[in-house]
Amino acid sequence: MPDLDAIDRKILALLQNDSRLTMQELADKVGLSVSPCHRRVKLLEERGVISRYIATVDQKALGLHVSVFISIKLARQKEEDLNRFARAISKWDEVLECYLMTGNRDYLLRVVAADLASYETFLKTKLTRLDGIASIESSFALSQVKYSIALPV
Amino acid sequence: MPDLDAIDRKILALLQNDSRLTMQELADKVGLSVSPCHRRVKLLEERGVISRYIATVDQKALGLHVSVFISIKLARQKEEDLNRFARAISKWDEVLECYLMTGNRDYLLRVVAADLASYETFLKTKLTRLDGIASIESSFALSQVKYSIALPV
DNA sequence: CATGCTTTGGTAAATTATCCCAATATCCGC
DNA sequence: GCGGATATTGGGATAATTTACCAAAGCATG
């Protein structure tokens, strides 16, 4: 995979913040004309550097006032157990992020819910019904100080 | 603010996954013609329900192989201390997420870096130089099991 | 200095977004 | 149920944007 030059990185930085820039605007900002700029963007898409284009939705506008981080310890950590857990997690829309962590081999989940009641429903009807979970610990976010999808380029 | 009906929610669900759908495609999927579909999208934008359109970039393609969760405890938790911390955090591109947490009033940060060396540089030249930090605890992510920006609608 | 390869820039065609207006549907009081 | 007011829809015309093509310019290599 060929490396990203300075212009590619500038394109990525700009599109990570606003993918609705027209090719003309983007080209102006990176100092190219439309044609080569367009070709670079297409190439970044084909190479998978740009993976998708999405709209971001305001969490409060949807009434999702609760953000929770959940630490989970499994009873066993065989590959099969990990895979089974990952498959279950992936199906649930409330779970926005899930990471396999170092240390005591826990998972860390970020979950959103409308309120504490619906979070409780999530716990009771989904998470705690999974087999093989040794412990669950919830930490609630009081506020989102920073949230960005833009990776440093 | 008027409520979101079923079609609005369908629009949001679709655009959260792919904002490059044409109005024609989007209209077909939600069962409207182009005009009212377009008007609904514009309204969702104006009301701030749709906040932005962005491109997502592949973390590995950028060589960012390290994801770290950092728990931070401040020496004092007066509003001024919290604000000062928030301002500093917000400037750093390595910090993708930062939450003020309940409990012992800690912050939880998600930070990305190219490797352990550059993570160490981030710690030494930025985070640990902040005043008023009582303790820092890093937990490393072995793998990203799930990562989504799409809120449940 | 010439050759081959890569990247660029401009133009034209195709696609898509956007706006306007008439028609339809929905809601409310009676 | 009925009539009127309001909100929503659908189609078509126009403007904006994307996309493909080709010639020209830059760049490294021998």
Side-chain angles (χ1 to χ4, degrees), chain A residues 7 31-33 35-36 39-40:
Chain A
I7 295 180
L32 283 178
S33 67
S35 294
R39 224 171 50 84
R40 277 170 183 264

Side-chain angles (χ1 to χ4, degrees), chain B residues 53-112:
Chain B
Y53 294 92
I54 61 172
T56 64
V57 173
D58 185 57
Q59 196 170 327
K60 282 179 188 154
L62 292 181
L64 298 167
H65 300 290
V66 173
S67 288
V68 195
F69 285 87
I70 313 179
S71 289
I72 292 178
K73 189 175 290 188
L74 296 189
R76 294 161 309 172
Q77 288 84 26
K78 291 189 188 255
E79 187 170 355
E80 191 197 317
D81 301 300
L82 301 180
N83 289 339
R84 196 155 43 90
F85 181 77
R87 274 198 304 276
I89 287 297
S90 299
K91 285 186 308 198
W92 297 331
D93 291 340
E94 300 95 328
V95 180
L96 295 185
E97 301 181 56
C98 174
Y99 300 87
L100 179 63
M101 304 298 292
T102 55
N104 32 17
R105 278 199 169 270
D106 275 342
Y107 284 98
L108 182 61
L109 275 62
R110 182 166 71 91
V111 170
V112 296

Side-chain angles (χ1 to χ4, degrees), chain B:
Chain B
M1 176 185 287
D3 256 346
L4 306 168
D5 67 9
I7 296 181
D8 286 332
R9 290 176 186 278
K10 204 163 179 182
I11 289 174
L12 291 177
L14 288 163
L15 289 182
Q16 279 192 119
N17 275 317
D18 181 7
S19 65
R20 279 297 178 91
L21 289 170
T22 65
M23 277 297 158
Q24 186 64 63
E25 291 169 327
L26 188 63
D28 289 347
K29 285 177 194 286
V30 302
L32 283 178
S33 67
V34 171
S35 295
C37 184
H38 179 257
R39 222 173 49 84
R40 277 169 181 264
V41 171
K42 288 299 151 194
L43 227 53
L44 290 169
E45 292 170 5
E46 283 166 23
R47 287 162 60 190
V49 181
I50 295 176
S51 42
R52 39 205 315 229
Y53 294 92
I54 61 172
T56 64
V57 173
D58 185 57
Q59 196 170 327
K60 282 179 188 154
L62 292 181
L64 298 167
H65 300 290
V66 173
S67 288
V68 195
F69 285 87
I70 313 179
S71 289
I72 292 178
K73 189 175 290 188
L74 296 189
R76 294 161 309 172
Q77 288 84 26
K78 291 189 188 255
E79 187 170 355
E80 191 197 317
D81 301 300
L82 301 180
N83 289 339
R84 196 155 43 90
F85 181 77
R87 274 198 304 276
I89 287 297
S90 299
K91 285 186 308 198
W92 297 331
D93 291 340
E94 300 95 328
V95 180
L96 295 185
E97 301 181 56
C98 174
Y99 300 87
L100 179 63
M101 304 298 292
T102 55
N104 32 17
R105 278 199 169 270
D106 275 342
Y107 284 98
L108 182 61
L109 275 62
R110 182 166 71 91
V111 170
V112 296
D115 47 39
L116 284 183
S118 60
Y119 175 62
E120 192 182 347
T121 302
F122 167 76
L123 279 185
K124 286 189 176 169
T125 66
K126 293 179 177 170
L127 198 54
T128 59
R129 288 195 184 165
L130 279 185
D131 286 336
I133 291 188
S135 70
I136 296 177
E137 188 184 323
S138 302
S139 302
F140 293 87
L142 286 171
S143 69
Q144 201 171 49
V145 176
K146 179 175 187 177
Y147 180 73
S148 171
I149 299 102
L151 299 170
V153 294

Side-chain angles (χ1 to χ4, degrees), chain A:
Chain A
M1 175 184 288
D3 256 345
L4 305 167
D5 66 10
I7 295 180
D8 286 331
R9 291 177 185 276
K10 204 163 181 182
I11 289 174
L12 291 177
L14 289 164
L15 289 182
Q16 280 191 119
N17 276 317
D18 182 7
S19 65
R20 279 297 177 90
L21 290 170
T22 66
M23 277 298 158
Q24 186 63 64
E25 291 169 329
L26 188 63
D28 289 346
K29 285 175 193 287
V30 303
L32 283 178
S33 67
V34 171
S35 294
C37 185
H38 179 256
R39 224 171 50 84
R40 277 170 183 264
V41 171
K42 287 298 152 196
L43 227 54
L44 289 169
E45 291 170 5
E46 283 167 22
R47 287 160 61 188
V49 180
I50 295 175
S51 41
R52 34 202 321 226
Y53 294 91
I54 61 171
T56 64
V57 173
D58 184 56
Q59 196 171 328
K60 281 180 189 155
L62 291 181
L64 299 168
H65 300 290
V66 173
S67 288
V68 195
F69 284 88
I70 312 178
S71 288
I72 292 177
K73 189 176 289 187
L74 295 189
R76 295 162 308 175
Q77 288 84 27
K78 291 187 189 256
E79 187 171 356
E80 191 196 318
D81 301 300
L82 300 180
N83 289 340
R84 196 155 44 89
F85 180 78
R87 273 198 305 276
I89 286 298
S90 299
K91 283 187 307 198
W92 297 330
D93 291 340
E94 300 95 329
V95 181
L96 295 184
E97 302 181 55
C98 174
Y99 299 87
L100 180 61
M101 303 298 292
T102 53
N104 33 17
R105 278 198 169 268
D106 274 341
Y107 284 98
L108 183 61
L109 274 64
R110 181 165 72 92
V111 171
V112 295
D115 47 38
L116 284 182
S118 60
Y119 176 62
E120 192 182 346
T121 303
F122 167 76
L123 278 185
K124 285 189 177 169
T125 66
K126 293 179 176 170
L127 197 55
T128 58
R129 286 194 185 166
L130 279 185
D131 285 336
I133 290 188
S135 71
I136 295 177
E137 188 185 324
S138 302
S139 302
F140 293 88
L142 285 173
S143 70
Q144 201 170 49
V145 176
K146 178 174 187 176
Y147 180 74
S148 169
I149 300 102
L151 299 170
V153 292

